[in-house]
């Protein structure tokens, strides 16, 4: 029993050591190719008694010192290398995919075994893309589909030399066989190819041309020579441009009237005053059916001996002028307000003198001298700030005095005066009635005056009186 156990242990040890006899799999080959299963066995003086190759557990080849036996179906496809016990299998079929094992028994009774797997793939072929072209408007959608023959295929989309990747507008579905643009942009335009590959082969489709039409945009006119005016008899060239695909059609207009001439350039030769006007061009895209007009460009033709028209005033000068005017008005108003406020304060703070001195004046028609008192009726022009509730006037408008009454009751009517009369004090009566204008007691003294001078301006007289009151 012990010798039997020894033999089993030795055999199991030999099998374990032979696990790396063949390379790791899977070995990948294309249909129709050949594969060679190279063993790690090295030639020795030890005689090999038997070599057995198996596929999926079934013998496909057995070699002994006497002869070699090949299973039917493999006769013309197997080549055996006895020095290393390796095997080559030709004209591979997809059915050849699976596990292969080798078992080597030497004359000493030692056994070596190894295994690996083979994957026979169908080569890539017949790669096509549909549609084979696409003429689109910007923001439209399009789907490209790639198809191919072969096994274990991998799909890759390229735009020129750049790989196409998924984004919010680009979708790759069906294991990357389908490329979908939900909204194409002008930057998606290009030549697209579908790359198909597997571990044993690869192939590329024909190019697919995607054209994206847009515009026109940014339509504009350039003038050559570019200057504010042009001389009589000179030549002017106007060029229209626009951002558009395909290139747009151009029509020219002057003062909104279409010209007969079409095209990118408009040439005005031997210009006259009749060429003056606002020129513009309209760009039309036949693919998008969009028309965009350029901003008008003024053309001014003038006699070269005449000076050019003056440049328009700069807006900065206008703004500065307005600011200065506003500042002067505001400053003048503020100064007037402060002066008036100061004057009113002096008038309101000055005490009312009920005992007025005698007033001197020259209101009579002759040069006789007299003194006396008079009473006059005056319409008030202002009310003292402190006596607003009593209706007491704040100041007297002397130009409004038409008559006055003496103490004896005699009323004197004042007419036009040729001499200047100076009123120094006016005393208001106590307890004036609120229902009638107040009366004032005026003390006057008649004095001799020089020869009458031209009548003074009432405003000057009023200013002088105000000055005396303030002093």
């Amino acid at each position: 029993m012990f010798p039997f156990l020894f033999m089993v242990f030795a055999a199991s040890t030999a099998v374990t050591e032979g696990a790396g006899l063949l390379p790791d799999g899977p070995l990948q080959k294309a249909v129709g190719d050949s594969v060679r299963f190279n063993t790690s066995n090295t030639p020795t003086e030890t005689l090999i008694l038997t070599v057995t190759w198996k596929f999926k557990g079934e013998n496909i080849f057995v070699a002994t010192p006497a002869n070699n036996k090949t299973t039917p179906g493999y006769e013309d496809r197997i080549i055996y290398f006895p020095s290393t016990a390796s095997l080559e299998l030709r004209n591979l079929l997809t059915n050849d995919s699976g596990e292969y094992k080798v078992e080597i028994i030497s004359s000493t009774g030692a056994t070596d075994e190894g295994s690996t797997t083979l994957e026979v793939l169908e080569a890539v072929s017949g790669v096509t893309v549909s549609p084979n072209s696409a003429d689109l408007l910007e923001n439209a959608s399009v789907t490209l589909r790639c198809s191919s023959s072969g096994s274990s295929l991998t799909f890759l989309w390229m735009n020129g030399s750049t790989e196409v990747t998924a984004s919010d507008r680009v979708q790759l579905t069906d294991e990357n066989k389908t490329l979908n643009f939900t909204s194409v942009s002008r930057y998606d335009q290009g030549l697209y190819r579908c790359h198909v590959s597997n571990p044993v082969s690869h192939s590329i489709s024909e190019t697919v041309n995607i054209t994206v039409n847009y515009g026109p945009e940014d339509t504009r006119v350039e003038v050559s020579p570019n200057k504010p005016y042009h001389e009589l008899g000179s030549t002017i060239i106007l060029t229209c441009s626009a951002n558009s695909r395909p290139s747009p059609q151009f029509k020219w207009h002057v003062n909104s009237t279409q010209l007969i001439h079409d095209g990118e350039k408009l040439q005005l030769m031997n210009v006259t005053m009749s060429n003056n006007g606002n020129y513009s061009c309209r760009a039309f895209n036949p693919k998008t059916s969009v028309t965009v007009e350029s901003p008008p460009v003024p053309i001014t033709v003038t006699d070269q001996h005449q000076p050019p028209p003056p440049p328009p005033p700069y807006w900065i000068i206008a703004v500065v002028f307005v600011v200065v005017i506003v500042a002067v008005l505001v400053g003048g108003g503020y100064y007037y307000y402060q002066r008036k406020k100061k004057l009113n304060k002096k008038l309101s703070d000055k005490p009312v003198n009920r005992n007025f001195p005698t007033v001197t004046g020259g209101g009579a028609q002759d040069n006789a001298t007299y003194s006396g008192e008079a009473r006059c009726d005056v319409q008030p022009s202002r009310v003292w700030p402190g006596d607003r509730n009593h209706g007491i006037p704040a100041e007297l408008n002397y130009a409004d005095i038409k008559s006055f009454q003496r103490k004896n009751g005699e009323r004197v009517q004042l007419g036009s005066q040729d001499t200047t009369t100076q009123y120094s004090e006016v005393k208001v009566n106590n307890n004036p009635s609120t229902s009638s204008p107040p009366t004032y007691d005026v003390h006057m003294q008649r004095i001799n005056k020089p020869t009458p001078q031209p009548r003074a301006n009432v405003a000057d007289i009023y200013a002088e009186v105000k000055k005396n009151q303030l002093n």
Side-chain angles (χ1 to χ4, degrees):
M1 181 177 181
F2 288 102
F4 175 77
L5 293 175
F6 175 79
M7 291 176 61
V8 173
F9 177 77
S12 63
T13 303
V15 172
T16 302
E17 291 177 351
L21 193 59
L22 292 176
D24 295 333
L27 304 178
Q28 294 174 322
K29 295 294 181 179
V31 173
D33 289 347
S34 300
V35 62
R36 182 169 178 173
F37 300 103
N38 291 316
T39 68
S40 60
N41 189 42
T42 57
T44 62
E45 296 180 355
T46 305
L47 179 63
I48 297 177
L49 296 180
T50 305
V51 176
T52 302
W53 282 91
K54 297 180 179 183
F55 172 61
K56 295 182 179 179
E58 301 292 334
N59 293 342
I60 60 173
F61 180 81
V62 178
T64 63
N67 58 13
N68 298 331
K69 182 180 179 180
T70 304
T71 302
Y74 291 92
E75 292 89 348
D76 298 330
R77 299 174 58 200
I78 289 179
I79 299 176
Y80 176 65
F81 301 91
S83 61
T84 59
S86 298
L87 181 74
E88 181 177 324
L89 181 63
R90 297 181 175 183
N91 299 322
L92 294 174
L93 304 172
T94 56
N95 294 334
D96 292 327
S97 299
E99 183 183 38
Y100 289 80
K101 289 184 178 182
V102 63
E103 183 182 85
I104 302 174
I105 302 175
S106 65
S107 58
T108 61
T111 301
D112 287 338
E113 291 183 354
S115 65
T116 189
T117 57
L118 173 66
E119 184 178 3
V120 180
L121 303 174
E122 182 181 351
V124 177
S125 63
V127 180
T128 59
V129 175
S130 61
N132 54 13
S133 64
D135 192 10
L136 309 171
L137 297 181
E138 194 167 31
N139 298 322
S141 61
V142 64
T143 299
L144 302 180
R145 293 180 175 85
C146 183
S147 60
S148 173
S149 298
S151 55
S152 300
L153 301 178
T154 300
F155 295 84
L156 178 67
W157 290 91
M158 301 290 291
N159 180 4
S161 59
T162 304
E163 179 182 354
V164 179
T165 57
S167 67
D168 56 342
R169 298 184 304 102
V170 181
Q171 299 174 351
L172 294 169
T173 59
D174 192 16
E175 297 180 345
N176 290 355
K177 294 179 184 178
T178 302
L179 173 61
N180 180 46
F181 291 91
T182 58
S183 177
V184 295
S185 75
R186 63 193 67 180
Y187 306 106
D188 295 323
Q189 176 167 290
L191 299 177
Y192 287 78
R193 292 176 181 264
C194 177
H195 291 230
V196 183
S197 62
N198 62 15
V200 297
S201 62
H202 72 278
S203 181
I204 303 175
S205 70
E206 296 293 333
T207 58
V208 176
N209 185 17
I210 293 183
T211 303
V212 181
N213 303 299
Y214 61 89
E217 302 170 352
D218 191 24
T219 305
R220 60 188 180 276
V221 175
E222 295 182 357
V223 181
S224 178
N226 185 13
K227 53 184 181 180
Y229 72 98
H230 302 268
E231 294 80 9
L232 290 172
S234 62
T235 298
I236 306 173
I237 299 176
L238 294 88
T239 304
C240 187
S241 62
N243 187 14
S244 175
R245 182 180 289 121
S247 297
Q249 302 170 1
F250 297 104
K251 294 184 179 297
W252 290 92
H253 294 74
V254 56
N255 298 330
S256 300
T257 301
Q258 183 174 337
L259 301 178
I260 299 176
H261 179 81
D262 294 338
E264 182 181 1
K265 292 182 180 296
L266 174 63
Q267 186 170 355
L268 305 178
M269 302 180 64
N270 195 23
V271 295
T272 63
M273 299 290 190
S274 62
N275 294 117
N276 289 344
N278 293 319
Y279 288 76
S280 63
C281 73
R282 294 179 182 176
F284 172 72
N285 187 331
K287 290 287 186 179
T288 63
S289 300
V290 175
T291 300
V292 177
E293 185 172 3
S294 69
V297 175
I299 296 295
T300 303
V301 179
T302 182
D303 189 345
Q304 60 180 350
H305 301 297
Q306 296 178 352
Y314 296 101
W315 66 271
I316 297 179
I317 298 178
V319 171
V320 172
F321 178 78
V322 171
V323 171
V324 171
I325 294 300
V326 171
V328 170
L329 293 176
V330 172
Y334 181 77
Y335 176 78
Y336 173 78
Y337 170 79
Q338 293 295 330
R339 289 284 300 170
K340 187 174 181 180
K341 181 178 180 182
K342 182 177 180 181
L343 179 60
N344 290 340
K345 186 175 185 307
K346 288 184 177 180
L347 292 176
S348 61
D349 294 342
K350 188 173 181 179
V352 179
N353 189 356
R354 301 297 182 179
N355 300 316
F356 294 93
T358 302
V359 179
T360 62
Q365 302 298 324
D366 53 25
N367 293 329
T369 300
Y370 74 93
S371 62
E373 296 182 353
R375 180 181 300 273
C376 61
D377 298 329
V378 183
Q379 296 294 330
S381 60
R382 292 189 57 188
V383 178
W384 290 104
D387 295 326
R388 294 184 185 274
N389 296 331
H390 303 287
I392 300 177
E395 62 183 49
L396 180 63
N397 187 350
Y398 299 97
D400 292 338
I401 299 177
K402 302 300 183 181
S403 64
F404 63 90
Q405 184 178 2
R406 294 193 176 97
K407 288 185 176 182
N408 59 6
E410 181 182 359
R411 177 173 293 277
V412 179
Q413 184 72 27
L414 297 179
S416 60
Q417 302 179 18
D418 296 330
T419 59
T420 301
T421 301
Q422 181 177 3
Y423 301 87
S424 61
E425 295 289 347
V426 177
K427 182 172 66 174
V428 65
N429 294 337
N430 294 330
N431 300 323
S433 174
T434 57
S435 60
S436 61
T439 59
Y440 300 85
D441 292 332
V442 182
H443 298 269
M444 307 178 59
Q445 181 180 4
R446 193 64 173 266
I447 60 175
N448 292 328
K449 299 295 291 183
T451 303
Q453 300 296 323
R455 187 174 181 178
N457 191 296
V458 175
D460 295 336
I461 298 174
Y462 178 74
E464 184 66 23
V465 171
K466 296 282 286 185
K467 180 178 179 181
N468 293 335
Q469 289 179 343
L470 296 176
N471 294 332

